Amino acid sequence: MKHNERIEPTRIEELPSFTLAGISTVTTNEAELSKAGKIGKLFEQFHSQNIGKKLGVNIQEDGHYSCYFNYEQGDAGLYEVMVSVHVQEALQLQNLDMIKAFTVPAAKYAVFVTERGPIIEMVQRTWADIWQWSQQPGNNRAFTGDFEYYSKDINPEDGQAEVYISIK
């Protein structure tokens, strides 16, 4: 992508609320850009401990999510990130340690589809574009809950993901 190009979402989509469950941590964008980032480790833990299966969700069918919420000051402060799966009910989660649930409120989203390639790099690049996009007049992030969606058959070396940004 040329840097003078105006970044636009692939589409705008309205979604009803839905519940995600998984493992979470609190971090900042500053930490994630340094060696102190926690998100990568969270993904590793999610996959190595087979969290989806513990929650009775088949990731092979449903894919998984990385959700950003509880923003303290928009993209400047602390926020929570949860690597998660879509669950029907938060009820079955009560006796699972470390598992957190978050109901993503109904919202309107600007959806950005990453380029195809090594997925971590492509998602990071897309977020850099989103930060630029969110500085442009008329693009108002709502910070109610943003998420990345990874489809079931994603290839980590050559994949695409979608980033959903809640907007006002």
Side-chain angles (χ1 to χ4, degrees):
M1 173 180 296
K2 292 190 222 58
H3 278 292
N4 53 5
E5 248 175 71
R6 221 184 131 89
I7 300 133
E8 289 301 332
T10 310
R11 62 184 189 273
I12 301 289
E13 203 173 303
E14 294 211 26
L15 292 178
S17 67
F18 63 100
T19 300
L20 294 173
I23 52 174
S24 77
T25 188
V26 172
T27 186
T28 62
N29 287 334
E30 206 175 31
E32 292 308 315
L33 294 170
S34 73
K35 297 259 185 294
K38 300 177 181 177
I39 296 177
K41 295 186 187 82
L42 201 64
F43 270 92
E44 282 166 31
Q45 188 186 351
F46 177 83
H47 291 295
S48 65
Q49 298 181 1
N50 212 336
I51 299 291
K53 195 168 214 159
K54 283 185 183 158
L55 294 170
V57 174
N58 184 350
I59 296 182
Q60 286 356 95
E61 280 165 29
D62 295 339
H64 65 282
Y65 297 79
S66 178
C67 182
Y68 303 83
F69 58 105
N70 289 343
Y71 287 97
E72 270 192 359
Q73 311 165 285
D75 54 16
L78 289 168
Y79 58 86
E80 192 161 348
V81 56
M82 179 171 74
V83 183
S84 55
V85 287
H86 183 189
V87 292
Q88 297 313 316
E89 291 295 326
L91 301 175
Q92 75 248 37
L93 307 175
Q94 285 152 355
N95 44 12
L96 286 169
D97 287 349
M98 344 173 300
I99 297 293
K100 167 125 195 177
F102 174 68
T103 297
V104 183
K108 191 157 103 178
Y109 295 94
V111 184
F112 295 83
V113 179
T114 69
E115 289 174 52
R116 179 170 291 284
I119 199 68
I120 294 171
E121 197 184 312
M122 294 300 127
V123 168
Q124 286 171 339
R125 196 179 292 177
T126 300
W127 273 105
D129 289 345
I130 288 166
W131 286 327
Q132 276 186 318
W133 170 84
S134 64
Q135 306 305 313
Q136 295 163 3
N139 297 335
N140 293 316
R141 291 182 61 184
F143 295 105
T144 50
D146 304 311
F147 59 91
E148 295 151 15
Y149 171 68
Y150 298 89
S151 66
K152 57 178 194 247
D153 46 11
I154 195 160
N155 172 351
E157 302 309 314
D158 182 32
Q160 274 180 303
E162 293 183 322
V163 185
Y164 287 72
I165 301 296
S166 59
I167 52 176
K168 292 178 179 159

